PDB file of all heavy atoms in Angstrom:
ATOM      1  N   GLY B 287      57.383 -29.732  82.850  1.00  0.00           N
ATOM      2  CA  GLY B 287      58.311 -28.843  83.541  1.00  0.00           C
ATOM      3  C   GLY B 287      59.770 -29.124  83.253  1.00  0.00           C
ATOM      4  O   GLY B 287      60.629 -28.286  83.550  1.00  0.00           O
ATOM      5  N   ASP B 288      60.088 -30.283  82.666  1.00  0.00           N
ATOM      6  CA  ASP B 288      61.482 -30.604  82.322  1.00  0.00           C
ATOM      7  C   ASP B 288      62.005 -29.659  81.239  1.00  0.00           C
ATOM      8  O   ASP B 288      61.270 -29.305  80.311  1.00  0.00           O
ATOM      9  CB  ASP B 288      61.597 -32.038  81.797  1.00  0.00           C
ATOM     10  CG  ASP B 288      61.622 -33.072  82.904  1.00  0.00           C
ATOM     11  OD1 ASP B 288      61.850 -32.695  84.069  1.00  0.00           O
ATOM     12  OD2 ASP B 288      61.417 -34.273  82.605  1.00  0.00           O
ATOM     13  N   ASN B 289      63.263 -29.276  81.368  1.00  0.00           N
ATOM     14  CA  ASN B 289      63.940 -28.551  80.292  1.00  0.00           C
ATOM     15  C   ASN B 289      64.586 -29.566  79.366  1.00  0.00           C
ATOM     16  O   ASN B 289      65.373 -30.409  79.803  1.00  0.00           O
ATOM     17  CB  ASN B 289      65.012 -27.610  80.858  1.00  0.00           C
ATOM     18  CG  ASN B 289      64.408 -26.453  81.625  1.00  0.00           C
ATOM     19  OD1 ASN B 289      63.264 -26.064  81.400  1.00  0.00           O
ATOM     20  ND2 ASN B 289      65.164 -25.894  82.556  1.00  0.00           N
ATOM     21  N   VAL B 290      64.262 -29.489  78.078  1.00  0.00           N
ATOM     22  CA  VAL B 290      64.723 -30.487  77.123  1.00  0.00           C
ATOM     23  C   VAL B 290      65.322 -29.809  75.894  1.00  0.00           C
ATOM     24  O   VAL B 290      65.122 -28.624  75.647  1.00  0.00           O
ATOM     25  CB  VAL B 290      63.565 -31.412  76.680  1.00  0.00           C
ATOM     26  CG1 VAL B 290      63.044 -32.220  77.858  1.00  0.00           C
ATOM     27  CG2 VAL B 290      62.434 -30.602  76.038  1.00  0.00           C
ATOM     28  N   PHE B 291      66.072 -30.601  75.124  1.00  0.00           N
ATOM     29  CA  PHE B 291      66.579 -30.150  73.833  1.00  0.00           C
ATOM     30  C   PHE B 291      66.498 -31.310  72.863  1.00  0.00           C
ATOM     31  O   PHE B 291      66.468 -32.477  73.269  1.00  0.00           O
ATOM     32  CB  PHE B 291      68.004 -29.616  73.947  1.00  0.00           C
ATOM     33  CG  PHE B 291      69.076 -30.667  74.096  1.00  0.00           C
ATOM     34  CD1 PHE B 291      70.075 -30.804  73.146  1.00  0.00           C
ATOM     35  CD2 PHE B 291      69.096 -31.528  75.194  1.00  0.00           C
ATOM     36  CE1 PHE B 291      71.068 -31.761  73.277  1.00  0.00           C
ATOM     37  CE2 PHE B 291      70.087 -32.485  75.342  1.00  0.00           C
ATOM     38  CZ  PHE B 291      71.080 -32.607  74.370  1.00  0.00           C
ATOM     39  N   GLY B 292      66.430 -30.990  71.568  1.00  0.00           N
ATOM     40  CA  GLY B 292      66.329 -32.054  70.590  1.00  0.00           C
ATOM     41  C   GLY B 292      65.710 -31.583  69.298  1.00  0.00           C
ATOM     42  O   GLY B 292      65.887 -30.430  68.883  1.00  0.00           O
ATOM     43  N   ILE B 293      64.958 -32.483  68.657  1.00  0.00           N
ATOM     44  CA  ILE B 293      64.371 -32.222  67.345  1.00  0.00           C
ATOM     45  C   ILE B 293      62.856 -32.125  67.475  1.00  0.00           C
ATOM     46  O   ILE B 293      62.214 -33.013  68.042  1.00  0.00           O
ATOM     47  CB  ILE B 293      64.721 -33.345  66.356  1.00  0.00           C
ATOM     48  CG1 ILE B 293      66.237 -33.558  66.286  1.00  0.00           C
ATOM     49  CG2 ILE B 293      64.148 -33.037  64.973  1.00  0.00           C
ATOM     50  CD1 ILE B 293      67.015 -32.379  65.755  1.00  0.00           C
ATOM     51  N   GLY B 294      62.299 -31.048  66.964  1.00  0.00           N
ATOM     52  CA  GLY B 294      60.858 -30.846  67.019  1.00  0.00           C
ATOM     53  C   GLY B 294      60.287 -30.570  65.640  1.00  0.00           C
ATOM     54  O   GLY B 294      61.000 -30.244  64.699  1.00  0.00           O
ATOM     55  N   ALA B 295      58.979 -30.694  65.522  1.00  0.00           N
ATOM     56  CA  ALA B 295      58.296 -30.403  64.270  1.00  0.00           C
ATOM     57  C   ALA B 295      57.960 -28.916  64.228  1.00  0.00           C
ATOM     58  O   ALA B 295      57.083 -28.464  64.947  1.00  0.00           O
ATOM     59  CB  ALA B 295      57.024 -31.242  64.157  1.00  0.00           C
ATOM     60  N   GLY B 296      58.681 -28.162  63.393  1.00  0.00           N
ATOM     61  CA  GLY B 296      58.407 -26.739  63.278  1.00  0.00           C
ATOM     62  C   GLY B 296      58.844 -25.978  64.512  1.00  0.00           C
ATOM     63  O   GLY B 296      58.025 -25.506  65.299  1.00  0.00           O
ATOM     64  N   SER B 297      60.162 -25.822  64.692  1.00  0.00           N
ATOM     65  CA  SER B 297      60.666 -25.191  65.920  1.00  0.00           C
ATOM     66  C   SER B 297      60.637 -23.666  65.878  1.00  0.00           C
ATOM     67  O   SER B 297      60.860 -23.029  66.899  1.00  0.00           O
ATOM     68  CB  SER B 297      62.102 -25.664  66.204  1.00  0.00           C
ATOM     69  OG  SER B 297      62.967 -25.336  65.132  1.00  0.00           O
ATOM     70  N   PHE B 298      60.358 -23.066  64.716  1.00  0.00           N
ATOM     71  CA  PHE B 298      60.254 -21.608  64.641  1.00  0.00           C
ATOM     72  C   PHE B 298      58.865 -21.171  65.090  1.00  0.00           C
ATOM     73  O   PHE B 298      58.084 -20.578  64.347  1.00  0.00           O
ATOM     74  CB  PHE B 298      60.524 -21.121  63.214  1.00  0.00           C
ATOM     75  CG  PHE B 298      61.983 -21.087  62.831  1.00  0.00           C
ATOM     76  CD1 PHE B 298      62.940 -21.748  63.576  1.00  0.00           C
ATOM     77  CD2 PHE B 298      62.395 -20.383  61.719  1.00  0.00           C
ATOM     78  CE1 PHE B 298      64.286 -21.725  63.230  1.00  0.00           C
ATOM     79  CE2 PHE B 298      63.741 -20.346  61.355  1.00  0.00           C
ATOM     80  CZ  PHE B 298      64.686 -21.022  62.117  1.00  0.00           C
ATOM     81  N   ALA B 299      58.545 -21.487  66.322  1.00  0.00           N
ATOM     82  CA  ALA B 299      57.215 -21.225  66.870  1.00  0.00           C
ATOM     83  C   ALA B 299      57.292 -21.226  68.384  1.00  0.00           C
ATOM     84  O   ALA B 299      58.274 -21.665  68.976  1.00  0.00           O
ATOM     85  CB  ALA B 299      56.229 -22.288  66.395  1.00  0.00           C
ATOM     86  N   GLU B 300      56.231 -20.730  69.020  1.00  0.00           N
ATOM     87  CA  GLU B 300      56.215 -20.712  70.481  1.00  0.00           C
ATOM     88  C   GLU B 300      56.066 -22.107  71.076  1.00  0.00           C
ATOM     89  O   GLU B 300      56.497 -22.349  72.203  1.00  0.00           O
ATOM     90  CB  GLU B 300      55.076 -19.810  70.959  1.00  0.00           C
ATOM     91  CG  GLU B 300      55.317 -18.338  70.664  1.00  0.00           C
ATOM     92  CD  GLU B 300      54.186 -17.448  71.144  1.00  0.00           C
ATOM     93  OE1 GLU B 300      53.005 -17.857  71.018  1.00  0.00           O
ATOM     94  OE2 GLU B 300      54.475 -16.348  71.647  1.00  0.00           O
ATOM     95  N   TYR B 301      55.460 -23.022  70.331  1.00  0.00           N
ATOM     96  CA  TYR B 301      55.302 -24.400  70.791  1.00  0.00           C
ATOM     97  C   TYR B 301      55.656 -25.352  69.658  1.00  0.00           C
ATOM     98  O   TYR B 301      55.427 -25.059  68.480  1.00  0.00           O
ATOM     99  CB  TYR B 301      53.866 -24.672  71.239  1.00  0.00           C
ATOM    100  CG  TYR B 301      53.445 -23.890  72.451  1.00  0.00           C
ATOM    101  CD1 TYR B 301      52.886 -22.616  72.322  1.00  0.00           C
ATOM    102  CD2 TYR B 301      53.613 -24.412  73.738  1.00  0.00           C
ATOM    103  CE1 TYR B 301      52.517 -21.881  73.436  1.00  0.00           C
ATOM    104  CE2 TYR B 301      53.238 -23.679  74.864  1.00  0.00           C
ATOM    105  CZ  TYR B 301      52.693 -22.414  74.702  1.00  0.00           C
ATOM    106  OH  TYR B 301      52.327 -21.693  75.804  1.00  0.00           O
ATOM    107  N   SER B 302      56.197 -26.508  70.026  1.00  0.00           N
ATOM    108  CA  SER B 302      56.560 -27.513  69.028  1.00  0.00           C
ATOM    109  C   SER B 302      56.266 -28.901  69.587  1.00  0.00           C
ATOM    110  O   SER B 302      56.426 -29.153  70.784  1.00  0.00           O
ATOM    111  CB  SER B 302      58.049 -27.406  68.672  1.00  0.00           C
ATOM    112  OG  SER B 302      58.433 -28.408  67.752  1.00  0.00           O
ATOM    113  N   VAL B 303      55.849 -29.789  68.696  1.00  0.00           N
ATOM    114  CA  VAL B 303      55.605 -31.182  69.069  1.00  0.00           C
ATOM    115  C   VAL B 303      56.867 -31.992  68.799  1.00  0.00           C
ATOM    116  O   VAL B 303      57.434 -31.944  67.709  1.00  0.00           O
ATOM    117  CB  VAL B 303      54.425 -31.769  68.277  1.00  0.00           C
ATOM    118  CG1 VAL B 303      54.284 -33.266  68.560  1.00  0.00           C
ATOM    119  CG2 VAL B 303      53.130 -31.050  68.637  1.00  0.00           C
ATOM    120  N   CYS B 304      57.316 -32.744  69.799  1.00  0.00           N
ATOM    121  CA  CYS B 304      58.519 -33.567  69.673  1.00  0.00           C
ATOM    122  C   CYS B 304      58.178 -35.021  69.985  1.00  0.00           C
ATOM    123  O   CYS B 304      57.429 -35.295  70.930  1.00  0.00           O
ATOM    124  CB  CYS B 304      59.599 -33.112  70.657  1.00  0.00           C
ATOM    125  SG  CYS B 304      60.060 -31.370  70.549  1.00  0.00           S
ATOM    126  N   ARG B 305      58.722 -35.927  69.205  1.00  0.00           N
ATOM    127  CA  ARG B 305      58.626 -37.331  69.572  1.00  0.00           C
ATOM    128  C   ARG B 305      59.490 -37.569  70.797  1.00  0.00           C
ATOM    129  O   ARG B 305      60.570 -36.991  70.932  1.00  0.00           O
ATOM    130  CB  ARG B 305      59.090 -38.207  68.413  1.00  0.00           C
ATOM    131  CG  ARG B 305      58.045 -38.420  67.352  1.00  0.00           C
ATOM    132  CD  ARG B 305      58.553 -39.177  66.158  1.00  0.00           C
ATOM    133  NE  ARG B 305      59.491 -40.253  66.473  1.00  0.00           N
ATOM    134  CZ  ARG B 305      60.041 -41.029  65.534  1.00  0.00           C
ATOM    135  NH1 ARG B 305      59.749 -40.838  64.270  1.00  0.00           N
ATOM    136  NH2 ARG B 305      60.900 -41.978  65.886  1.00  0.00           N
ATOM    137  N   ASP B 306      59.035 -38.424  71.689  1.00  0.00           N
ATOM    138  CA  ASP B 306      59.781 -38.629  72.930  1.00  0.00           C
ATOM    139  C   ASP B 306      61.145 -39.257  72.716  1.00  0.00           C
ATOM    140  O   ASP B 306      62.029 -39.158  73.570  1.00  0.00           O
ATOM    141  CB  ASP B 306      58.963 -39.452  73.932  1.00  0.00           C
ATOM    142  CG  ASP B 306      58.645 -40.855  73.427  1.00  0.00           C
ATOM    143  OD1 ASP B 306      58.836 -41.128  72.225  1.00  0.00           O
ATOM    144  OD2 ASP B 306      58.190 -41.693  74.238  1.00  0.00           O
ATOM    145  N   ASP B 307      61.350 -39.916  71.551  1.00  0.00           N
ATOM    146  CA  ASP B 307      62.654 -40.519  71.280  1.00  0.00           C
ATOM    147  C   ASP B 307      63.580 -39.589  70.507  1.00  0.00           C
ATOM    148  O   ASP B 307      64.637 -40.003  70.034  1.00  0.00           O
ATOM    149  CB  ASP B 307      62.484 -41.840  70.513  1.00  0.00           C
ATOM    150  CG  ASP B 307      61.759 -41.671  69.184  1.00  0.00           C
ATOM    151  OD1 ASP B 307      61.256 -40.563  68.901  1.00  0.00           O
ATOM    152  OD2 ASP B 307      61.688 -42.654  68.414  1.00  0.00           O
ATOM    153  N   LYS B 308      63.193 -38.302  70.371  1.00  0.00           N
ATOM    154  CA  LYS B 308      64.034 -37.324  69.682  1.00  0.00           C
ATOM    155  C   LYS B 308      64.379 -36.130  70.568  1.00  0.00           C
ATOM    156  O   LYS B 308      64.823 -35.100  70.079  1.00  0.00           O
ATOM    157  CB  LYS B 308      63.358 -36.838  68.398  1.00  0.00           C
ATOM    158  CG  LYS B 308      63.265 -37.907  67.326  1.00  0.00           C
ATOM    159  CD  LYS B 308      62.885 -37.324  65.984  1.00  0.00           C
ATOM    160  CE  LYS B 308      62.930 -38.383  64.892  1.00  0.00           C
ATOM    161  NZ  LYS B 308      62.727 -37.799  63.542  1.00  0.00           N
ATOM    162  N   ILE B 309      64.178 -36.274  71.863  1.00  0.00           N
ATOM    163  CA  ILE B 309      64.548 -35.219  72.806  1.00  0.00           C
ATOM    164  C   ILE B 309      65.247 -35.833  74.006  1.00  0.00           C
ATOM    165  O   ILE B 309      65.140 -37.037  74.263  1.00  0.00           O
ATOM    166  CB  ILE B 309      63.330 -34.393  73.282  1.00  0.00           C
ATOM    167  CG1 ILE B 309      62.273 -35.298  73.916  1.00  0.00           C
ATOM    168  CG2 ILE B 309      62.748 -33.577  72.159  1.00  0.00           C
ATOM    169  CD1 ILE B 309      61.128 -34.532  74.557  1.00  0.00           C
ATOM    170  N   ALA B 310      65.969 -34.986  74.735  1.00  0.00           N
ATOM    171  CA  ALA B 310      66.669 -35.431  75.940  1.00  0.00           C
ATOM    172  C   ALA B 310      66.693 -34.270  76.932  1.00  0.00           C
ATOM    173  O   ALA B 310      66.467 -33.110  76.559  1.00  0.00           O
ATOM    174  CB  ALA B 310      68.085 -35.875  75.613  1.00  0.00           C
ATOM    175  N   LEU B 311      66.977 -34.588  78.176  1.00  0.00           N
ATOM    176  CA  LEU B 311      67.066 -33.555  79.193  1.00  0.00           C
ATOM    177  C   LEU B 311      68.255 -32.644  78.907  1.00  0.00           C
ATOM    178  O   LEU B 311      69.337 -33.108  78.545  1.00  0.00           O
ATOM    179  CB  LEU B 311      67.210 -34.181  80.581  1.00  0.00           C
ATOM    180  CG  LEU B 311      66.017 -35.018  81.071  1.00  0.00           C
ATOM    181  CD1 LEU B 311      66.351 -35.658  82.413  1.00  0.00           C
ATOM    182  CD2 LEU B 311      64.762 -34.153  81.180  1.00  0.00           C
ATOM    183  N   MET B 312      68.059 -31.345  79.076  1.00  0.00           N
ATOM    184  CA  MET B 312      69.129 -30.374  78.853  1.00  0.00           C
ATOM    185  C   MET B 312      70.226 -30.520  79.893  1.00  0.00           C
ATOM    186  O   MET B 312      69.947 -30.766  81.066  1.00  0.00           O
ATOM    187  CB  MET B 312      68.575 -28.943  78.945  1.00  0.00           C
ATOM    188  CG  MET B 312      68.109 -28.343  77.656  1.00  0.00           C
ATOM    189  SD  MET B 312      67.377 -26.689  77.917  1.00  0.00           S
ATOM    190  CE  MET B 312      68.669 -25.869  78.878  1.00  0.00           C
ATOM    191  N   PRO B 313      71.486 -30.351  79.489  1.00  0.00           N
ATOM    192  CA  PRO B 313      72.564 -30.282  80.481  1.00  0.00           C
ATOM    193  C   PRO B 313      72.337 -29.094  81.412  1.00  0.00           C
ATOM    194  O   PRO B 313      71.933 -28.014  80.965  1.00  0.00           O
ATOM    195  CB  PRO B 313      73.818 -30.080  79.626  1.00  0.00           C
ATOM    196  CG  PRO B 313      73.447 -30.577  78.263  1.00  0.00           C
ATOM    197  CD  PRO B 313      71.989 -30.266  78.113  1.00  0.00           C
ATOM    198  N   ASP B 314      72.607 -29.274  82.702  1.00  0.00           N
ATOM    199  CA  ASP B 314      72.342 -28.215  83.679  1.00  0.00           C
ATOM    200  C   ASP B 314      73.212 -26.989  83.469  1.00  0.00           C
ATOM    201  O   ASP B 314      72.853 -25.886  83.884  1.00  0.00           O
ATOM    202  CB  ASP B 314      72.558 -28.756  85.105  1.00  0.00           C
ATOM    203  CG  ASP B 314      71.511 -29.786  85.494  1.00  0.00           C
ATOM    204  OD1 ASP B 314      70.400 -29.747  84.921  1.00  0.00           O
ATOM    205  OD2 ASP B 314      71.813 -30.643  86.351  1.00  0.00           O
ATOM    206  N   ASN B 315      74.368 -27.159  82.814  1.00  0.00           N
ATOM    207  CA  ASN B 315      75.292 -26.036  82.670  1.00  0.00           C
ATOM    208  C   ASN B 315      75.077 -25.225  81.392  1.00  0.00           C
ATOM    209  O   ASN B 315      75.873 -24.360  81.069  1.00  0.00           O
ATOM    210  CB  ASN B 315      76.742 -26.535  82.713  1.00  0.00           C
ATOM    211  CG  ASN B 315      77.050 -27.544  81.620  1.00  0.00           C
ATOM    212  OD1 ASN B 315      76.155 -28.222  81.117  1.00  0.00           O
ATOM    213  ND2 ASN B 315      78.314 -27.642  81.247  1.00  0.00           N
ATOM    214  N   LEU B 316      73.996 -25.501  80.660  1.00  0.00           N
ATOM    215  CA  LEU B 316      73.703 -24.752  79.443  1.00  0.00           C
ATOM    216  C   LEU B 316      72.394 -23.989  79.568  1.00  0.00           C
ATOM    217  O   LEU B 316      71.449 -24.451  80.213  1.00  0.00           O
ATOM    218  CB  LEU B 316      73.602 -25.692  78.234  1.00  0.00           C
ATOM    219  CG  LEU B 316      74.860 -26.454  77.803  1.00  0.00           C
ATOM    220  CD1 LEU B 316      74.565 -27.234  76.534  1.00  0.00           C
ATOM    221  CD2 LEU B 316      76.039 -25.514  77.601  1.00  0.00           C
ATOM    222  N   ASP B 317      72.334 -22.816  78.923  1.00  0.00           N
ATOM    223  CA  ASP B 317      71.068 -22.100  78.828  1.00  0.00           C
ATOM    224  C   ASP B 317      70.337 -22.570  77.579  1.00  0.00           C
ATOM    225  O   ASP B 317      70.826 -23.397  76.811  1.00  0.00           O
ATOM    226  CB  ASP B 317      71.285 -20.583  78.823  1.00  0.00           C
ATOM    227  CG  ASP B 317      72.171 -20.106  77.669  1.00  0.00           C
ATOM    228  OD1 ASP B 317      72.229 -20.802  76.636  1.00  0.00           O
ATOM    229  OD2 ASP B 317      72.786 -19.032  77.801  1.00  0.00           O
ATOM    230  N   PHE B 318      69.126 -22.025  77.359  1.00  0.00           N
ATOM    231  CA  PHE B 318      68.321 -22.496  76.235  1.00  0.00           C
ATOM    232  C   PHE B 318      68.987 -22.223  74.885  1.00  0.00           C
ATOM    233  O   PHE B 318      68.937 -23.054  73.980  1.00  0.00           O
ATOM    234  CB  PHE B 318      66.931 -21.842  76.285  1.00  0.00           C
ATOM    235  CG  PHE B 318      66.047 -22.357  77.387  1.00  0.00           C
ATOM    236  CD1 PHE B 318      65.608 -21.517  78.405  1.00  0.00           C
ATOM    237  CD2 PHE B 318      65.652 -23.681  77.418  1.00  0.00           C
ATOM    238  CE1 PHE B 318      64.786 -21.989  79.415  1.00  0.00           C
ATOM    239  CE2 PHE B 318      64.833 -24.162  78.431  1.00  0.00           C
ATOM    240  CZ  PHE B 318      64.398 -23.315  79.431  1.00  0.00           C
ATOM    241  N   ASN B 319      69.587 -21.043  74.726  1.00  0.00           N
ATOM    242  CA  ASN B 319      70.222 -20.722  73.449  1.00  0.00           C
ATOM    243  C   ASN B 319      71.325 -21.707  73.104  1.00  0.00           C
ATOM    244  O   ASN B 319      71.416 -22.201  71.983  1.00  0.00           O
ATOM    245  CB  ASN B 319      70.794 -19.297  73.483  1.00  0.00           C
ATOM    246  CG  ASN B 319      69.748 -18.239  73.213  1.00  0.00           C
ATOM    247  OD1 ASN B 319      68.553 -18.539  73.152  1.00  0.00           O
ATOM    248  ND2 ASN B 319      70.169 -17.003  73.051  1.00  0.00           N
ATOM    249  N   HIS B 320      72.196 -21.983  74.063  1.00  0.00           N
ATOM    250  CA  HIS B 320      73.302 -22.902  73.809  1.00  0.00           C
ATOM    251  C   HIS B 320      72.791 -24.334  73.588  1.00  0.00           C
ATOM    252  O   HIS B 320      73.313 -25.058  72.735  1.00  0.00           O
ATOM    253  CB  HIS B 320      74.299 -22.876  74.965  1.00  0.00           C
ATOM    254  CG  HIS B 320      75.163 -21.655  74.992  1.00  0.00           C
ATOM    255  ND1 HIS B 320      74.714 -20.433  75.453  1.00  0.00           N
ATOM    256  CD2 HIS B 320      76.450 -21.456  74.591  1.00  0.00           C
ATOM    257  CE1 HIS B 320      75.690 -19.542  75.348  1.00  0.00           C
ATOM    258  NE2 HIS B 320      76.752 -20.137  74.829  1.00  0.00           N
ATOM    259  N   ALA B 321      71.786 -24.733  74.341  1.00  0.00           N
ATOM    260  CA  ALA B 321      71.246 -26.081  74.176  1.00  0.00           C
ATOM    261  C   ALA B 321      70.584 -26.256  72.816  1.00  0.00           C
ATOM    262  O   ALA B 321      70.712 -27.303  72.177  1.00  0.00           O
ATOM    263  CB  ALA B 321      70.254 -26.392  75.291  1.00  0.00           C
ATOM    264  N   ALA B 322      69.877 -25.223  72.350  1.00  0.00           N
ATOM    265  CA  ALA B 322      69.204 -25.306  71.047  1.00  0.00           C
ATOM    266  C   ALA B 322      70.192 -25.412  69.905  1.00  0.00           C
ATOM    267  O   ALA B 322      69.877 -25.946  68.838  1.00  0.00           O
ATOM    268  CB  ALA B 322      68.311 -24.085  70.850  1.00  0.00           C
ATOM    269  N   ALA B 323      71.405 -24.909  70.114  1.00  0.00           N
ATOM    270  CA  ALA B 323      72.419 -24.950  69.062  1.00  0.00           C
ATOM    271  C   ALA B 323      72.953 -26.353  68.815  1.00  0.00           C
ATOM    272  O   ALA B 323      73.533 -26.625  67.757  1.00  0.00           O
ATOM    273  CB  ALA B 323      73.577 -24.022  69.431  1.00  0.00           C
ATOM    274  N   ILE B 324      72.756 -27.258  69.759  1.00  0.00           N
ATOM    275  CA  ILE B 324      73.414 -28.560  69.693  1.00  0.00           C
ATOM    276  C   ILE B 324      72.774 -29.579  68.754  1.00  0.00           C
ATOM    277  O   ILE B 324      73.489 -30.213  67.960  1.00  0.00           O
ATOM    278  CB  ILE B 324      73.519 -29.169  71.107  1.00  0.00           C
ATOM    279  CG1 ILE B 324      74.464 -28.337  71.981  1.00  0.00           C
ATOM    280  CG2 ILE B 324      73.999 -30.613  71.048  1.00  0.00           C
ATOM    281  CD1 ILE B 324      74.571 -28.853  73.413  1.00  0.00           C
TER     282      ILE B 324
END
């Protein structure tokens, strides 16, 4: 249920596998589009 951003394997898909050391919790003041840009 956490909203996260980071690096995933094959992100041009509905689901992606991410290593836990390559993602972080999204800042509360950003939406998904802005967070994905970072």
Side-chain angles (χ1 to χ4, degrees):
D288 280 344
N289 291 335
V290 296
F291 75 118
I293 306 296
S297 59
F298 282 15
E300 291 180 321
Y301 295 88
S302 177
V303 174
C304 305
R305 279 175 38 180
D306 63 347
D307 59 353
K308 291 193 174 187
I309 57 173
L311 296 176
M312 269 176 51
D314 292 335
N315 59 335
L316 295 184
D317 59 25
F318 288 117
N319 278 9
H320 285 78
I324 294 178

